[in-house]
Amino acid sequence: IFPSFSNLFIYVTIKRFVTKELEGDNMAIVGFRITELNAKNNEKAASNIEVKSTPKITDIEEIKLSNLENVLKILFDFETKYDPNVGNIKISGYALYQSDDAKKILDSWKKSKALSAKLAENFLNFILRKCLIKITYLADELNLPPAVRFPILKAKRSKEK
C-alpha cells in the first residue's frame, strides 16, 4: 500500500541545493512538502501512448520561520498526462526557498508571474527530480506507462564463424 503523502513533510537535510550555475549565489532549498496527490487509471485500452510531464510554479508567498530569514514558499503542480487519455497523475506541493534576494524575487513574481530564467530552470529541475520518482511509482501501481523511459538491456550476440 502506498503511504499517504497528505502529511508528509521532508526537510532537505543538505543546507544548500547547489548546481554549477548557482555556485556563489547565496540560495538554498530548505524544505519540500507534497500537499496533494491525485492519480487515476481510466481503464481504457490503448497503444502508442504519449506521456507528457509538466512542472509548473503556481504561486510564490513570503513565509516567516522562527529560525530562518528571507524564505519564500514556492507552490507548484506537477502533472503527468497520457494521450490518449488512459489516466493522469498530479502532485501539488511547495518548496521552501531561502535567498538573500527573496524580496526582489517576490516583487518580480507579483508583477509578472515569472522568475528569472536561471532560478526557474533550477527550481523546476529540483521539482522534476523529486516528483518523477513518486510519479513513476504511482504509474507502476496503476498499470500506466512510466513517465520516464528506462534503459533496455540487450544480450550481446556472439559472432558465428
Side-chain angles (χ1 to χ4, degrees):
I1 294 181
F2 193 69
S4 169
F5 280 102
S6 62
N7 295 320
L8 179 64
F9 192 84
I10 302 168
Y11 271 103
V12 178
T13 56
I14 302 171
K15 177 64 177 161
R16 301 261 177 224
F17 166 70
V18 180
T19 65
K20 289 189 184 256
E21 293 83 23
L22 294 174
E23 286 177 4
D25 187 12
N26 191 13
M27 62 77 65
I29 293 178
V30 296
F32 176 78
R33 183 174 188 167
I34 292 175
T35 56
E36 187 175 338
L37 181 65
N38 294 306
K40 183 176 182 180
N41 182 329
N42 293 331
E43 299 190 25
K44 295 179 183 176
S47 60
N48 298 324
I49 299 170
E50 186 175 334
V51 182
K52 291 183 182 178
S53 293
T54 309
K56 179 182 174 186
I57 297 170
T58 58
D59 202 5
I60 299 178
E61 304 168 354
E62 185 176 20
I63 186 168
K64 302 287 184 194
L65 299 175
S66 60
N67 56 342
L68 295 173
E69 294 180 0
N70 301 317
V71 177
L72 298 174
K73 183 178 183 180
I74 304 178
L75 292 88
F76 69 87
D77 286 336
F78 189 98
E79 189 164 15
T80 297
K81 293 183 179 181
Y82 297 88
D83 186 27
N85 187 13
V86 295
N88 67 305
I89 303 171
K90 183 177 178 183
I91 296 174
S92 298
Y94 63 84
L96 300 179
Y97 174 80
Q98 184 181 30
S99 172
D100 292 336
D101 296 329
K103 176 96 171 104
K104 186 168 78 170
I105 293 166
L106 184 61
D107 290 344
S108 174
W109 176 261
K110 286 180 180 179
K111 288 178 188 172
S112 65
K113 298 294 185 201
L115 298 174
S116 72
K118 184 191 281 188
L119 177 57
E121 177 185 329
N122 285 292
F123 181 78
L124 291 173
N125 279 323
F126 173 80
I127 296 305
L128 191 74
R129 284 190 298 276
K130 296 296 264 182
C131 292
L132 274 178
I133 294 167
K134 291 154 185 57
I135 285 178
T136 300
Y137 175 82
L138 290 169
D140 184 55
E141 290 295 312
L142 293 171
N143 294 316
L144 292 170
V148 292
R149 290 188 180 182
F150 292 102
I152 297 173
L153 300 176
K154 293 184 180 182
K156 190 174 184 178
R157 295 183 184 175
S158 62
K159 294 181 182 179
E160 295 184 32
K161 294 183 181 180

